[in-house]
Amino acid sequence: SVFDFDRLAAEQLLGAPAAEVASAAPTLRLRQTIRTIPDAFPGDLNTCGRITVHIAGNFVLVSNRGHDSITVFRVNQSLLKAGQLSIVGSFHTRGATPRHFQFDASGQWLISANQDSDRIAVFRFNLATGRLEWSGHEYSVPSPNFVCNVLTHSEDASDEVFDEPAAPALSGGSLPLGFSAGAG
């Protein structure tokens, strides 16, 4: 769901007596409700896990436990529909129960932690379209429930120039370099 927040009304309620707050108009107004899974998939077999806004602010992503997907929504920037969402697509996470997902610092790579299949999967995120494309890389991690982007440091990192981020590199054949995963 998408809501409008009346910041001015909320600020006026700060420090107001309890009786005034209780009778005040709502500061949130429902603007849009949108499904995170296809209509044909039973809603009672799915729960949402993580919700995040891409660093550029143009996309909202939601993980679906049950449908085993990440759904990407485009944030409308036009004046009349600013903030409303439209669906880009639902993308299979290459495993079961996507408990968590995380972008790398560039916002062009996403790792999904699939808890019930003991796998993490790496996807490329298209900044123009919002589509996720599986990179072909997946890794065995016992019951992953969290992934974290960790910036690596190099003595001569200030001299490096990157035109396009490379796919996350392998570290010892287990996890992509720059990411860590937690098990539950």
Side-chain angles (χ1 to χ4, degrees):
S1 296
V2 177
F3 294 87
D4 283 324
F5 175 64
D6 189 340
R7 181 177 166 200
L8 181 60
E11 288 175 350
Q12 290 173 348
L13 292 174
L14 293 174
E20 187 178 326
V21 172
S23 64
T27 57
L28 287 177
R29 287 178 213 52
L30 180 63
R31 184 168 188 192
Q32 179 187 20
T33 299
I34 191 165
R35 287 179 55 93
T36 65
I37 54 175
D39 289 338
F41 194 85
D44 60 341
L45 297 179
N46 187 69
T47 57
C48 291
R50 175 167 163 73
I51 300 172
T52 193
V53 177
H54 186 271
I55 191 168
N58 296 328
F59 299 98
V60 174
L61 290 84
V62 179
S63 63
N64 295 297
R65 301 174 191 169
H67 189 252
D68 298 331
S69 65
I70 293 176
T71 299
V72 180
F73 298 99
R74 178 180 298 278
V75 179
N76 196 318
Q77 304 295 330
S78 71
L79 189 57
L80 295 176
K81 294 185 176 185
Q84 289 191 337
L85 304 177
S86 59
I87 191 163
V88 170
S90 293
F91 305 91
H92 193 272
T93 59
R94 310 295 295 186
T97 317
R99 175 71 182 241
H100 192 263
F101 62 90
Q102 182 71 42
F103 282 104
D104 76 327
S106 76
Q108 294 185 46
W109 296 98
L110 180 138
I111 291 189
S112 173
N114 298 300
Q115 184 175 18
D116 291 345
S117 57
D118 300 331
R119 307 295 282 175
I120 62 172
V122 181
F123 297 86
R124 182 178 185 99
F125 183 76
N126 185 309
L127 295 171
T129 66
R131 297 189 61 78
L132 288 173
E133 178 184 322
W134 184 52
S135 68
H137 298 283
E138 56 185 6
Y139 306 92
S140 179
V141 176
S143 191
N145 61 43
F146 184 81
V147 287
C148 179
N149 179 33
V150 179
L151 295 176
T152 56
H153 297 282
S154 165
E155 288 182 25
D156 50 11
S158 61
D159 297 334
E160 296 178 17
V161 177
F162 299 99
D163 291 332
E164 181 176 326
L170 298 182
S171 170
S174 57
L175 288 176
L177 188 62
F179 281 90
S180 63

